[in-house]
Amino acid sequence: MRKIFLYLATFFISITILSSCSGKKNNAGVSSKTGYAYNERANGGFEVASKFKRGIGEGLIEIEGGEFIMGGSAVDIPGQDLSNYSYKREVTISSFYMDETEVSNTNWLEYLNWIRRNFPKDEQYYYEELPDTLVWRSPLSFNEPFVNNYLRHPAYKDYPVVGVSAKQAERYCVWRTDMVNEKLLRDKGYMNSFAVINGTATGRNAPTTPIPKKDTPFNTELYLNGQNEDKGPNAKADLNPAATPTAGAATTGRRGAPIATRNVRLEDGVILQPYRLPTEAEWEYAALALIGNTKNQNIEEKRLYPWNGLGITSAKKRTRGQILANFKRNRGDYMGVGGALNDKAAFTEDVKSYLPNDFGLYNMAGNVNEWVADVYRAATYEQADALNPFRGNQFTNKDRDPNTGALKADKYGKPQMVKANSGKKQTWEELQANKTAGTDAYNADERGYRDEQSPLYGISTLINDKSRVYKGGSWNDQAQWLNPAARRHLQEDDSSADIGFRCAMTMLGSSQIKPTKTFKSGK
């Protein structure tokens, strides 16, 4: 017993010594450079998030990035025009998030319903966000039923929305960002709940004073800039010693005394990043999903499609012979023979049809082509950066009131953006005088960088700074377009019956997601 006691005593002494040694290292709650404690009102109230857990937005899947050969899935067939494929080039993609499925008709109708509720008299806003259902019309095909039914009839509620332009898709991403962030803040109590602001809260949840309704909907950027006074029961305490206690704040200090509260800040790690269109490189990387064929940094099998093998049917015993995507097998075969339909769809199909790829993404080949964020140039990937290649940057700044710092908003409550006038931080004097000394030649629109728009647009070329890339193949395409390297272009304000989209989101922090996770081989 004495030996056991001595062993335990030695063990606990060792733990104590190790703990004291580790204590000499930087404590997360104390500055390693000044020694001042963070998150203390007495020390000036400088706040540092003590814990950060990376959240994931609604509908998204984590995509762990890495190196891959962009354009590597293209097949060099003698006599084939390869201008519709990416140049083969080694690039690296940062980890990001991507929608599990394409945006559906129901998703878009939710957007339209929100516009109608919040701006009931603004017919222009509603009209401009309506998909062009006339894309179904064809002079020599009876598609008229789809003009009226495809978007709204419940038979197609989970089918991908089509007839939307790239610009409409981008505006949907902005709307979705605000909707998701508002719900997050209200659900966590940083803002008042929907029941409170709608006047339906009862009992202890009912506010003692009415909550004034805002004329414009919630906007993430304006909220982060402090231009939204809606603070809920879990509003953040403002540790600034000079902050004024918040009148009527749900949060109180000792003995019920009101304390100062504030909006959530970006530094708190609560707000999600904006939803957006994926870049072309992100889209191609996610579609290939070579992570399913990777072992110890070696890719054991390349891919022609988002699945293994050279064919478009499943080789697995359980699903052998089943078509793996929605496309047309030849010029007149859109879905196979009656009684034994192959892809089971003459046009589009449910966004969760067919087998997902190794990232868990549905329909990364077939069903509908998908808009990406890039402006089209044939030689972009000879020129673009090797890390997160992208063409389409148009650098902008939020327009602020020079006296108050408040963001200027349009009639829909969204920040007004202005063209960036410098590629670097200006001096205070330049900023106050609204000067652009030495920056007059600065070009904030980099869409044509190193590959300018041709002056012969409309004469010998249809490529300009509004030409957008779309990828993936569709119900109306043959198998060659299912290759993730394939790329085509259309004007950003045009639309088609075979182009839809899905959203992406930037992932912050470590690129490594699940170091212990193993992936099964390709579908």
Side-chain angles (χ1 to χ4, degrees), residues 174-183 218-220 414:
V174 172
W175 167 81
R176 184 178 173 185
T177 299
D178 291 337
M179 292 290 286
V180 171
N181 275 327
E182 181 181 13
K183 184 177 186 299
F218 172 87
N219 177 265
T220 301
K414 294 180 173 59

Side-chain angles (χ1 to χ4, degrees), residues 81-87 166 280 371-381 383 390-393 446-449 451-454 457 461-471 481 485-492:
D81 180 10
L82 291 180
S83 63
N84 291 318
Y85 292 88
S86 297
Y87 285 88
E280 181 178 359
W371 288 113
V372 297
D374 289 62
V375 167
Y376 180 86
R377 290 291 193 281
T380 288
Y381 295 102
Q383 304 161 342
F390 172 67
R391 180 184 291 280
N393 282 311
E446 300 287 8
R447 289 175 293 181
Y449 180 68
D451 197 341
E452 295 293 334
Q453 175 183 322
S454 171
Y457 175 75
T461 178
L462 292 176
I463 300 171
N464 65 6
D465 286 345
K466 293 186 177 182
S467 301
R468 287 291 194 91
V469 177
Y470 65 90
K471 296 173 76 75
W481 296 109
R487 60 201 304 256
R488 287 174 284 182
H489 63 90
L490 187 70
Q491 293 300 94
E492 63 184 21

Side-chain angles (χ1 to χ4, degrees), residues 5-17:
F5 175 78
L6 289 172
Y7 172 79
L8 290 173
T10 304
F11 174 77
F12 285 116
I13 290 171
S14 301
I15 293 297
T16 303
I17 292 172

Side-chain angles (χ1 to χ4, degrees), residues 66-81:
E67 172 271 342
F68 86 116
I69 304 300
M70 190 162 185
S73 59
V75 179
D76 189 0
I77 302 174
Q80 180 176 335
D81 180 10

Side-chain angles (χ1 to χ4, degrees), residues 12 181 213 285 294 332 399:
F12 285 116
N181 275 327
K213 271 205 165 185
Y285 177 85
T294 302
D399 197 8

